[in-house]
Amino acid sequence: MLSIRPALILQFLAMLCFVALITFLPSVQFMPKFIIWFNDRQRLVELLLLGFVLLDGILIGLVVKKDLLAIPTKLRNVFFILLALASTSSYLAQSPRHAIIEISVFAGLCYLSLFVARLYYENKQKLIQQITVALWASILLYMLSFYTGYITAIIFKTPLNWPFPFTGFSNIRSFNQYQLWALGLICLPLLAFDLKKNMRAFLNIALIAWWVLLFYSASRGVLLAWLAGMLLTAYVYKKYARPFLRLQIINIALGVCSYYLLFKVIPAANESSLVTGTIARESTDDRLELWQQAIVLIRESPIFGVGPMHYAWHNPTNGHPHNSVLQLASEWGLLATLIILAITGYGMYYWLKKFSTAKLQAVNKVDSNLAILLFFTIITNAAYSLVDGVIVTPISQALMFTMLGLMIGHYCDGQQSKYSNELIKSKFQFRPIFAAIVLVAMVWSTLPELIKGLSGNEKGFSMGYTAAGPRFWHESK
């Protein structure tokens, strides 16, 4: 009992940080005033979340004597090779400590996926409900803030300049990432839960209102990624995906109509001057220049890259190239990038093998829809990561590895043999030991900026690289 209670406490603290990060921080600013930037507030909570998850991994393996999840030996060896490449790249980087921040955070995020997968295995119904409720609560809170700003602007005829009525993010594209990661899973209640008619109508209206925010934020990348996800989901899952696809098409159609009503028709009739963008704008946000810079860095350091998180040391304006593949290739090296892509392909192959259209016939409505929604979510955000910093921002990182954890848990559901005790019988239990190493590395590498930022330094948590804007902390010149 004494060994189980601390594990439950750590589990509760980790879930509390998750709820704080995903549900409240986008719209409720409850942290001290000396933390200026939204990105930094979210990063602090993300570090707390990963800290509790890593402590949970240590405790589960060494004290409670309960393995997290059996990983195939070949895949585990590939991760060791990737870790060796990343460590070498960090050693050769201009600032090894800052490179270690990136490695330790991503290693911690991998433990977050295993943490979510274990919770899924223990009580999948409860976990799915908790995550779905957390996402819906976050969305409703955010829309309350957004539409309050909109109504105020209409009544007093005041212009809306970014970030208003968008709040909670240092960049409007960070909001788009947060929106896109949740877009699939929040449809699960409408597709698979037994809801009352009033609740079903409310959620449908809320989804339409949520799409309005996407059109107001003027993100072409999200729409292109959404379209890619829709087409691929339709191709793979055919008739089984039709309820979800139909729901999405209806919501986006009504969403764009509502957007024009709220931000074009009403302001014109009210003689208001709401400032809004449009997805038809011609600017490219200098994406090509950022990609070219990444290609130059790849040519200069093709094997080990310039170091994890080090694109910012070579660009005066942006901390990352707004392309996940180019970011990994330029910072981690081509070999590490190929390994990551191979792991991704390996996982997707086995996912489609288990959750094929033929096998979806034998599962219940919740499991069938969950498989489709998770596939759509990963494909859509993978596509969006090719034009934006999806793998960079704290909320996006947490949601990404939460979805991966759900995929791992869903894939391994019902396969108790995968949760073996073989590692527990060994005198050397690598996973909890490695969790401890990751925790120490994460604390050591982030501590200087934490001390500086929390002490009220006017430069905040700045690392001192040349680029302005958020990468890990928000940089200001």
Side-chain angles (χ1 to χ4, degrees), residues 381-408:
N381 283 277
Y384 190 45
S385 75
L386 299 178
V387 294
D388 199 26
V390 171
I391 64 173
V392 170
T393 56
I395 287 182
S396 183
Q397 287 178 344
L399 286 174
M400 172 169 57
F401 282 85
T402 297
M403 297 302 167
L404 290 175
L406 287 175
M407 293 184 81
I408 294 170

Side-chain angles (χ1 to χ4, degrees), residues 171 173-174 176-177 180 219-226 228 281 284-288 290-291 318 320-327 379-392:
N171 187 289
R173 299 301 158 232
S174 300
N176 290 137
Q177 297 166 24
L180 198 57
S219 176
R220 296 164 300 175
V222 167
L223 287 176
L224 290 174
W226 174 84
R281 66 194 191 283
T284 61
D285 291 334
D286 300 323
R287 290 290 192 272
L288 292 178
L290 298 178
W291 297 347
N318 286 272
H320 54 89
H322 291 76
N323 182 296
S324 57
V325 176
L326 290 178
Q327 179 180 321
I379 294 299
T380 302
N381 283 277
Y384 190 45
S385 75
L386 299 178
V387 294
D388 199 26
V390 171
I391 64 173
V392 170

